[in-house]
Amino acid sequence: MLRLSLLALAALVALPAAAQINGPAACVNGAATLGGVSYPCRGVDVMSLVPTGVTGPLRTGGMNDIWGWTDPMTGREYALGGTLSGTVFVDVTNPSQPLVLGKMPTQTANSTWRDIKVYRNYAFVVSEATNHGMQVFDLTRLRGLSPLATRDFTPDVVYARVGSVHNLVINESTGFAYAVGFRNQGGGLPASCNAPGFHAINIQNPLVPTFAGCFNDAAQETGPRTPGYTHDAQCVTYSGPDVDYVGRELCFAANEDVLRIFDVTDKTTVRILSKGEYPNFAYSHQGWLTEDQRYLLLNDELDEQNGLTPTQRTMIFDVSDLDSPSYVGQYTSALTTIDHNLYLRGRYAFESNYESGLRILDTANLAQGQMTEVAYFDTYPQSTTTQFNGQWSNYPYFASGTIVVSDINNGLFVLRPTTLTVAGEPAPGADGGYTLSPPAPNPTAGASALALTVTAAQRVTAVVIDATGREVATVFAGPAAP
């Protein structure tokens, strides 16, 4: 969410205290009714709601970002919710009965903006609160806790070489975090940290985060926005179709008026590879790659409100040639609301649209510049306008199929699609899917063997995880033929 929305959110007031509302409530004939409120929907049930309210279970008058963590030892699923006053931890293993375990308060002051990502078993939290820095929290501390909404947690570590940060990007395969939209905090930083582009942090040892460098595109900035400013990004170890960059660490950045692609493999000598432009830009906000890394979907947060487009749209880029990304076209939803964060899993895009809620889009025809809405759940039935109310973000990556979403005004919703396979992946053993044999022996102190049979071409990632949940190695990542 961009800084220009501050005035729109300034009127946000604390809501009356309310207990969580357990479900489920099925989506029937275009609506799901939970707690006496009817939510427009199609193909998505609401399992429960933990509402906002300063004396309620979230202890906040408003939410912002959301992420998730699955405990590798227990398989329990947790929502990590950003709020005005800190980060709440909610066990959503039973989606109909979420358990609020407590909150890690903001490091300095309350803020509309907070962002959370996970590496290994640690949560990393930044905020635009002055001098906030990056909080590091060991998520295994949540194991075995009974629900207690009033419990306060302290961070294990605070990285103080950044102060105010808008968003945090983590490449889990390399162990580097990238603070974007930051304001300097620590002394002794190079001049490249003066522009609010990327502040790179080595988090391979999560409890000892280390400064790794800064970079930005200020020298190449020709648009009307802040020189060098990166609003959000996705950083990956590249395994896509451009053979020139396979194995390189790349960042795909929304830089207010353009898409920028950086090669960040060497943090001391970052290369700006290219830029992608699209018509009638207002504020390039956030984007995400398809799983084959051939396409990127990008949202613009101000084009609807500025009258540049009559309805919400999502830009589609072909990034198969990283030196020359091309604008394929745009998906137009016919919604008269503003789009925000989006993520992809399998063939589906999960897009949070403020006053229109979660929209699930089929991306099978991206090459033709087309997407199709297949399901939705509107968490903000109060109105449908181009204002910054309603849904901020979503996390669609739980193995169970549960999706958690954060609604600025209404709280933490736990959802479950009913008309599609959430991951967009075939079930094990299904036609066009895969089969995986049990490893033997397991556990083992030595060798173990298993067989993965792929029956249709798809992207495969195989990682080794030890008993503590630590990712030991990536043994394969990339496309696999049958």
Side-chain angles (χ1 to χ4, degrees), residues 170-296:
I170 291 181
N171 182 356
E172 295 183 49
S173 67
T174 62
F176 279 89
Y178 302 91
V180 298
F182 64 88
R183 301 294 182 270
N184 287 349
Q185 165 71 4
L189 295 175
S192 56
C193 291
N194 291 335
F198 289 76
H199 179 117
I201 309 164
N202 186 328
I203 58 170
Q204 293 166 356
N205 182 345
L207 296 179
V208 189
T210 306
F211 173 73
C214 288
F215 55 93
N216 60 75
D217 70 339
Q220 296 189 16
E221 174 60 44
T222 58
R225 301 296 184 184
T226 308
Y229 181 87
T230 291
H231 189 77
D232 206 340
Q234 182 186 14
C235 298
V236 300
T237 300
Y238 185 73
S239 59
D242 192 333
V243 295
D244 293 338
Y245 294 97
V246 170
R248 307 290 293 180
E249 185 173 10
L250 306 181
C251 291
F252 297 77
N255 279 28
E256 297 191 299
D257 55 4
V258 71
L259 165 70
R260 286 283 190 191
I261 304 176
F262 298 83
D263 184 335
V264 304
T265 309
D266 182 350
K267 309 300 180 291
T268 62
T269 311
V270 170
R271 292 176 56 206
I272 302 174
L273 300 184
S274 57
K275 66 179 179 179
E277 299 177 291
Y278 60 96
N280 298 322
F281 70 85
Y283 199 94
S284 307
H285 174 262
Q286 181 256 1
W288 209 256
L289 291 164
T290 55
E291 291 193 349
D292 62 5
Q293 299 183 351
R294 178 174 292 275
Y295 298 97
L296 183 137

Side-chain angles (χ1 to χ4, degrees), residues 238 240-243 252 259-261 274-278 288-290 292-298 314-330 363 365-370:
Y238 185 73
D242 192 333
V243 295
F252 297 77
L259 165 70
R260 286 283 190 191
I261 304 176
S274 57
K275 66 179 179 179
E277 299 177 291
Y278 60 96
W288 209 256
L289 291 164
T290 55
D292 62 5
Q293 299 183 351
R294 178 174 292 275
Y295 298 97
L296 183 137
L297 302 183
L298 180 76
T314 304
M315 271 55 70
I316 304 170
F317 285 91
D318 183 335
V319 292
S320 56
D321 181 354
L322 293 168
D323 296 311
S324 183
S326 61
Y327 172 68
V328 175
Q330 64 185 35
T363 66
N365 294 316
L366 284 183
Q368 290 73 47
Q370 299 174 1

Side-chain angles (χ1 to χ4, degrees), residues 25-27 30-34 37-49 351-360 373 375-381 391 405 407 413-417:
C27 180
T33 301
L34 184 69
V37 178
S38 181
Y39 297 93
C41 59
R42 176 161 65 96
V44 181
D45 293 344
V46 57
M47 310 306 289
S48 57
L49 165 62
E351 187 173 272
S352 289
N353 289 267
Y354 285 104
E355 293 197 3
S356 291
L358 177 68
R359 301 284 158 164
I360 303 177
E373 183 179 277
Y376 71 90
F377 190 95
D378 185 357
T379 58
Y380 190 80
Q391 193 171 132
V405 304
D407 186 286
F413 286 79
V414 186
L415 306 177
R416 181 69 64 86

Side-chain angles (χ1 to χ4, degrees), residues 33-92:
T33 301
L34 184 69
V37 178
S38 181
Y39 297 93
C41 59
R42 176 161 65 96
V44 181
D45 293 344
V46 57
M47 310 306 289
S48 57
L49 165 62
V50 186
T52 54
V54 291
T55 58
L58 297 181
R59 293 186 284 159
T60 185
M63 293 197 71
N64 38 64
D65 188 47
I66 196 164
W67 206 245
W69 174 65
T70 300
D71 188 330
M73 287 188 65
T74 66
R76 300 193 72 85
E77 297 175 341
Y78 298 85
L80 318 178
T83 77
L84 297 175
S85 56
T87 306
V88 294
F89 303 101
V90 184
D91 185 332
V92 294

